[in-house]
């Protein structure tokens, strides 16, 4: 098997991890705060680590990590049905990893996939346990269909955050510059926090978070990447500022100003990196 073929298989794995992250986060936000949603968010974070390892391997092989989201198993009226879907998604992943472990000869990659497989087997058990727990507790979908200007602004924020998470992660994998890599990773993690805060606010306001993204910049040149990041940060800082000024709820106002200040910080970090890169 040549490098290109291995990259294609690993990209399928990446797409599966991506689907898992979004499916689990959707479920965690949709059941509201509590022990189970915390544990599910922790599982989503493990999938993020998997995605990270796989993407680094793809880049080592000379490939580009896929940003396509694989098939999710959505649907289900109550939390126990969601958890059953999460079991199924883990089974999809287990099947795929087993196939890829068989197909790939490279011992280092084989070892990595085995390591991930053992996590997925453990996750399957966790979700099976959550099926029972959710049934016993009668856990419900607490999301509503409420829609107003605030839900719209929050969902606009979620869409933006999801987009830049993908963009900064992709850039962090592709850049050879160690400092830029670290900064891009840090900002991506910060954007994940934003996404979580906004999604929880949507649910608290009786709405449903829409976890979709828009077009991700795929520049390969560092200066082009940073210019696009700076442009997007400037736009959203203004967007959050405008939204915060309009919103009456004092806590939500404070939250949006806090996110705005983070975006201003991101803009400054990227601007410094661009200056260094240009000199
Ligand atoms: Fe995973
Ligand atoms: Fe953000
Ligand atoms: Fe940002």
């Amino acid at each position: 098997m040549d490098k290109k073929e291995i990259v294609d298989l690993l990209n399928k794995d990446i797409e599966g991890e991506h689907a898992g992250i979004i499916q689990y986060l959707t479920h965690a936000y949709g059941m509201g705060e509590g022990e189970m949603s915390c544990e599910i968010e922790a599982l989503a974070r493990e999938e993020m680590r998997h995605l990270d390892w796989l993407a680094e391997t793809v880049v080592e092989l000379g490939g580009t990590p896929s940003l396509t989201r694989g098939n999710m198993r959505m649907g289900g009226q109550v939390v126990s049905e969601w958890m059953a879907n999460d079991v199924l998604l883990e089974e999809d992943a287990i099947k795929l990893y087993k196939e890829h472990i068989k197909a790939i000869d490279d011992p280092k990659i084989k070892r990595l996939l085995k390591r991930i497989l053992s996590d997925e087997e453990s996750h399957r058990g966790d979700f099976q346990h959550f099926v029972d727990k959710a049934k016993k507790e009668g856990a419900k979908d607490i999301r509503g269909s409420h829609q107003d200007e605030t839900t719209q602004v929050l969902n606009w924020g979620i869409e933006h955050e999801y987009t830049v998470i993908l963009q900064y992660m992709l850039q962090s994998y592709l850049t050879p510059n160690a400092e830029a890599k670290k900064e891009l990773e840090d900002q991506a993690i910060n954007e994940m926090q934003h996404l979580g805060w906004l999604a929880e606010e949507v649910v608290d306001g009786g709405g449903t978070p829409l976890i979709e993204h828009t077009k991700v910049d795929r520049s390969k040149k560092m200066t082009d990447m940073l210019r696009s990041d700076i442009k997007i940060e400037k736009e959203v800082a203004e967007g959050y500022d405008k939204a915060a000024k309009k919103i009456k709820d004092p806590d939500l106002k404070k939250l949006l100003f806090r996110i705005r200040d983070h975006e201003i910080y991101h803009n400054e970090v990227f601007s410094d990196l661009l200056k260094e890169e240009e000199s």
Side-chain angles (χ1 to χ4, degrees):
M1 189 175 281
D2 65 19
K3 280 187 182 180
K4 164 87 177 58
E5 288 169 302
I6 300 180
V7 163
D8 289 344
L9 293 187
L10 296 180
N11 267 333
K12 284 280 163 241
D13 297 332
I14 287 176
E15 291 170 9
E17 296 292 345
H18 187 164
I21 293 163
I22 302 303
Q23 180 170 323
Y24 303 162
L25 287 180
T26 302
H27 290 164
Y29 301 144
M31 67 180 72
E33 279 168 62
E35 199 192 330
M36 204 164 30
S37 70
C38 274
E39 287 181 45
I40 293 168
E41 280 190 52
L43 294 177
R45 276 196 295 277
E46 285 202 17
E47 312 300 10
M48 288 177 202
R49 290 174 64 208
H50 296 164
L51 194 154
D52 220 55
W53 296 334
L54 293 163
E56 297 289 0
T57 310
V58 163
V59 171
E60 274 171 35
L61 292 166
T64 303
S66 171
L67 292 184
T68 305
R69 186 167 74 198
N71 290 327
M72 298 195 290
R73 288 178 176 270
M74 291 306 219
Q77 301 298 314
V78 290
V79 173
S80 61
E81 290 170 4
W82 295 351
M83 296 300 101
N85 276 332
D86 294 350
V87 171
L88 291 177
L89 199 76
E90 290 294 343
E91 281 169 358
D92 294 340
I94 289 166
K95 186 167 168 274
L96 204 63
Y97 282 119
K98 281 184 175 164
E99 283 171 18
H100 293 178
I101 289 165
K102 231 187 244 164
I104 296 171
D105 288 324
D106 182 300
K108 209 180 133 201
I109 299 173
K110 229 187 208 339
R111 192 169 64 215
L112 173 67
L113 297 185
K114 282 185 184 164
R115 159 79 173 79
I116 298 176
L117 172 64
S118 74
D119 280 346
E120 311 303 13
E121 283 169 338
S122 157
H123 295 171
R124 177 179 53 189
D126 293 334
F127 283 120
Q128 274 161 345
H129 166 73
F130 293 150
V131 172
D132 298 332
K133 191 172 163 166
K135 269 187 199 155
K136 226 167 55 198
E137 292 175 359
K140 286 195 184 72
D141 179 357
I142 66 156
R143 296 171 305 175
S145 56
H146 184 75
Q147 282 246 33
D148 61 10
E149 228 181 312
T150 306
T151 354
Q152 257 174 32
V153 159
L154 295 172
N155 272 324
W156 161 81
I158 290 171
E159 186 182 67
H160 154 71
E161 301 298 341
Y162 186 6
T163 307
V164 288
I165 292 165
L166 294 178
Q167 182 162 317
Y168 300 165
M169 280 175 43
L170 179 68
Q171 293 176 346
S172 81
Y173 301 134
L174 295 178
T175 179
N177 175 330
E179 194 199 348
K181 189 183 186 70
K182 191 191 161 291
E183 289 295 354
L184 286 160
E185 268 171 21
D186 278 359
Q187 306 335 316
I189 291 168
N190 192 216
E191 313 295 17
M192 288 176 205
Q193 273 183 301
H194 296 170
L195 194 154
W197 293 340
L198 295 166
E200 277 161 17
E201 289 293 338
V202 172
V203 174
D204 285 347
T208 296
L210 301 174
I211 313 187
E212 295 298 339
H213 65 84
T214 53
K215 201 166 162 279
V216 176
D217 180 85
R218 290 165 193 258
S219 306
K220 297 257 162 123
K221 229 179 105 198
M222 196 68 226
T223 47
D224 292 339
M225 289 180 189
L226 291 167
R227 278 196 197 100
S228 126
D229 299 346
I230 290 164
K231 182 168 171 277
I232 211 168
E233 290 292 349
K234 209 168 154 278
E235 279 169 15
V236 295
E238 282 164 12
Y240 282 123
D241 186 73
K242 224 174 97 193
K245 283 175 181 157
K246 262 206 207 157
I247 273 165
K248 299 213 171 56
D249 179 282
D251 289 333
L252 188 52
K253 195 189 255 310
K254 217 162 63 188
L255 178 73
L256 292 180
F257 277 131
R258 186 174 172 206
I259 298 177
R260 175 204 62 186
D261 291 342
H262 289 168
E263 313 303 10
I264 292 171
Y265 172 80
H266 300 164
N267 183 356
E268 289 167 354
V269 168
F270 294 143
S271 299
D272 282 350
L273 286 170
L274 180 62
K275 258 181 241 154
E276 279 171 41
E277 197 63 31
E278 282 173 332
S279 65

